[in-house]
Amino acid sequence: MEIKKIETSNAPAAIGPYSQAVEFGNFVFASGQIPVNPKTGEIQGANAAEQATCVFENIKAVLKEAGTDLKHVVKATVFLKSMDDFGSVNAVYAKAFEANEILPARSAVQVGKLPKDVMVEIEVIAVK
């Protein structure tokens, strides 16, 4: 099987030596998305919930480019600057996956610092 790079201008460009996502077989491994507006390069959202909303827009753009969507996410990892934001980010997360018959497996962790000092980063694995 071949590894395929997934790249779209509808999500923030990689800010380091990585791909927005890679496809291997029927799996899409999406790199962590942060709340960066892909058109302006600016951080979106004054709080963690607003930032998570932007993050999901970026995730959807990457998954769409790969030919899949949130209904096909099998695993998600949520990185939070502060676990105090878990409730508000969880509400956004629940809304993003409300159409899913089976919810993705998930981990949520607090980290010391995130790129560009954002409050939330989310990575996903999806199937096609």
Side-chain angles (χ1 to χ4, degrees), residues 40-119:
T40 66
E42 299 295 320
I43 302 298
Q44 297 289 120
N47 59 51
E50 290 174 359
Q51 288 192 4
T53 300
C54 179
V55 166
F56 275 107
E57 291 305 310
N58 292 337
I59 290 170
K60 288 191 281 189
V62 171
L63 294 178
K64 181 178 180 181
E65 185 68 23
T68 189
D69 55 32
L70 290 176
K71 288 183 181 179
H72 293 90
V73 171
V74 295
K75 175 71 168 94
T77 305
V78 179
F79 302 97
L80 298 167
K81 183 176 180 179
S82 171
M83 200 52 86
D84 292 339
D85 293 324
F86 179 83
S88 63
V89 171
N90 197 49
V92 174
Y93 180 97
K95 184 174 175 148
F97 290 108
E98 69 186 352
N100 290 38
E101 186 175 320
I102 298 173
L103 293 169
R106 179 183 76 179
S107 302
V109 296
Q110 178 177 310
V111 296
K113 191 166 183 159
L114 291 166
K116 298 187 177 265
D117 205 28
V118 299
M119 298 174 194

Side-chain angles (χ1 to χ4, degrees), residues 3-32:
I3 298 173
K4 178 182 174 188
K5 178 180 180 178
I6 305 298
E7 188 172 31
T8 178
S9 61
N10 294 320
I15 55 174
Y18 62 91
S19 300
Q20 287 174 321
V22 295
E23 181 181 320
F24 183 73
N26 288 334
F27 285 94
V28 176
F29 300 87
S31 293

